[in-house]
């Protein structure tokens, strides 16, 4: 095991929350190490909405203009009924005020949001370290010693603080023994980023609204993809490649003119409503969920700064 000279802060997790903290530390000349066990940045859309309060944070970080340019406002929702399609305004918001300068949620796929944050971090002279996994840590009154598995072997890094921005299955939270009470919401769903023929990009297309058989296709602005979303039964095996999702879509909509050509990313998940018991133990902090969300199934959503409705991977 090799040892380093240390740093001020170790951030575990390179999602929107970890990147945001890293940018804030970088502009204040606070030394940090930003790590993630994944070999590369996350490629999925997962959270594609950016709430107004999060936009205020992005303005402060100096990235709001490039994030706005990466996506757009939510399109109309095109609801397909037995009597034909009906267009509905997706989001109605009041005019901006000095207290709330941003009122319109943005539609930007999560991977583009995080790309813009990485670009801003690079401007400040820093970059995440991928393929670096936090495998353990100990703390005392003066700091934290973290054990990190890297491509070159395990390293011990000494820091004043450790921040766990590592998601709902947080290694940091579990190691600290922090409770995560709540419940499974009884909703299972699939979400997938797909290249598809047969739907237009001028609307968020929705079939079977308010039924167990609902399915939607939302254009992912800034890309040529759509995000497919649908609730699914718990006891059904899912075929997530393009052919399987095309068959699934046809079964739900009766449309044989819509063909999914390829899948960039897909996930099946169960929805949970949970909140950590505490966000700090000594010199180790458990980070909050950042304000990215995807609109709800049956009213379930994730809001800014909440650690609610976590997705437990199958």
């Amino acid at each position: 095991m090799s040892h380093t000279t240390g740093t001020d802060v170790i951030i575990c997790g390179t999602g929107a929350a970890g990147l945001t903290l890293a940018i804030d530390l970088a502009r204040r000349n606070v030394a940090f190490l930003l790590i993630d066990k994944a070999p590369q940045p996350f490629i999925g859309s997962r959270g594609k909405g950016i709430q107004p309060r999060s936009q205020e944070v992005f303005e402060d970080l100096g990235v709001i203009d490039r994030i706005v340019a990466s996506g757009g406002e939510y399109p109309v929702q095109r609801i397909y009924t037995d009597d034909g399609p009906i267009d509905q305004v997706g989001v109605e918001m009041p005019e901006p005020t000095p207290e709330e300068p941003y009122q319109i949620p943005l539609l930007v796929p999560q991977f583009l949001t995080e790309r813009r944050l990485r670009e801003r971090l690079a401007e400040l002279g820093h970059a995440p370290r991928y393929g670096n996994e936090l495998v353990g840590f100990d703390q005392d009154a003066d700091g934290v010693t973290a054990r990190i598995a890297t491509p070159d072997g395990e390293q011990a890094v000494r820091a004043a603080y450790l921040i766990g921005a590592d998601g709902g299955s947080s290694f940091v939270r579990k190691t600290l023994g922090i409770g995560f009470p709540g419940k499974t919401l009884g909703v299972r769903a699939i979400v997938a980023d797909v290249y598809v023929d047969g739907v237009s990009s001028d609307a968020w297309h929705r079939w079977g609204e308010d039924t167990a058989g609902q399915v939607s296709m939302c254009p992912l602005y800034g890309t040529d993809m759509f995000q497919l979303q649908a609730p699914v039964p718990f006891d059904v095996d899912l075929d997530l490649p393009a052919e399987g999702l095309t068959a699934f879509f046809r079964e739900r909509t009766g449309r044989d003119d819509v063909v999914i050509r390829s899948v960039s990313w897909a996930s099946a998940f169960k929805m949970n409503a949970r909140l950590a018991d505490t966000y700090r133990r000594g010199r180790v902090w458990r980070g909050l969920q950042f304000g990215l969300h995807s609109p709800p199934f049956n009213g379930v959503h994730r809001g800014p700064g909440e650690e609610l409705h976590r997705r437990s991977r199958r």
Side-chain angles (χ1 to χ4, degrees):
M1 179 186 294
S2 62
H3 294 263
T4 69
T5 57
T7 188
D8 291 329
V9 181
I10 300 170
I11 307 169
C12 180
T14 60
L19 288 165
T20 296
L21 176 57
I23 293 170
D24 200 37
L25 294 177
R27 66 181 181 170
R28 299 174 193 276
N29 296 316
V30 177
F32 65 90
L33 181 65
L34 176 61
I35 63 171
D36 201 298
K37 67 180 181 180
Q40 60 190 14
F42 176 65
I43 64 168
S45 63
R46 192 181 292 156
K48 63 180 180 297
I50 302 178
Q51 293 296 319
R53 288 301 191 187
S54 297
Q55 294 173 46
E56 293 180 35
V57 174
F58 288 149
E59 179 185 46
D60 183 55
L61 297 179
V63 296
I64 185 62
D65 289 345
R66 68 189 78 179
I67 286 179
V68 169
S70 298
E73 297 180 17
Y74 275 78
V76 298
Q77 297 192 35
R78 186 158 296 156
I79 313 299
Y80 292 85
T81 72
D82 292 339
D83 297 324
I86 300 173
D87 283 359
Q88 297 179 352
V89 176
V91 179
E92 293 184 354
M93 299 296 292
E95 291 297 316
T97 66
E99 293 77 17
E100 297 183 67
Y102 297 97
Q103 294 284 353
I104 301 176
L106 296 175
L107 196 162
V108 185
Q110 182 172 340
F111 63 86
L112 286 184
T113 297
E114 293 179 2
R115 185 182 302 171
R116 302 301 170 239
L117 292 173
R118 288 194 302 273
E119 290 170 355
R120 176 61 177 144
L121 188 61
E123 291 172 355
L124 295 169
H126 298 271
R129 295 188 184 181
Y130 292 98
N132 281 241
E133 180 178 4
L134 180 68
V135 295
F137 59 85
D138 300 291
Q139 64 172 312
D140 53 42
D142 298 319
V144 181
T145 301
R147 300 188 303 278
I148 301 172
T150 79
D152 298 321
E154 187 171 304
Q155 295 182 346
V157 181
R158 183 71 174 172
Y161 297 96
L162 168 66
I163 310 297
D166 50 347
S169 299
S170 171
F171 173 80
V172 172
R173 175 179 57 79
K174 292 177 180 178
T175 301
L176 290 172
I178 294 174
F180 201 31
K183 63 181 179 180
T184 299
L185 299 176
V187 179
R188 183 180 180 226
I190 58 174
V191 59
D193 297 346
V194 299
Y195 294 91
V196 57
D197 295 327
V199 290
S200 62
S201 60
D202 64 334
W204 185 342
H205 305 271
R206 308 179 75 98
W207 292 264
E209 280 294 279
D210 300 322
T211 72
Q214 65 181 291
V215 63
S216 73
M217 286 277 193
C218 180
L220 292 176
Y221 292 144
T223 80
D224 295 326
M225 295 185 291
F226 284 75
Q227 184 191 72
L228 182 151
Q229 288 180 294
V232 292
F234 282 87
D235 58 351
V236 172
D237 291 330
L238 299 172
D239 186 10
L240 297 181
E243 297 80 2
L245 287 179
T246 296
F248 171 85
F249 183 85
R250 287 179 178 174
E251 180 181 356
R252 293 225 168 168
T253 66
R255 297 278 296 267
D256 59 7
D257 60 330
V258 176
V259 177
I260 295 172
R261 292 183 281 110
S262 64
V263 179
S264 173
W265 170 81
S267 175
F269 62 93
K270 300 173 184 177
M271 292 187 181
N272 291 273
R274 301 185 182 276
L275 188 66
D277 283 335
T278 183
Y279 289 96
R280 181 180 183 181
R281 288 276 173 83
R283 287 180 170 268
V284 182
W285 295 76
R286 171 70 187 100
L288 290 169
Q289 172 96 5
F290 202 73
L292 306 178
H293 83 288
S294 288
F297 292 121
N298 300 325
V300 178
H301 70 282
R302 294 183 293 161
E306 296 177 332
E307 188 137 309
L308 301 177
H309 317 311
R310 290 293 193 182
R311 296 171 174 180
S312 298
R313 301 291 169 181
R314 179 185 170 191

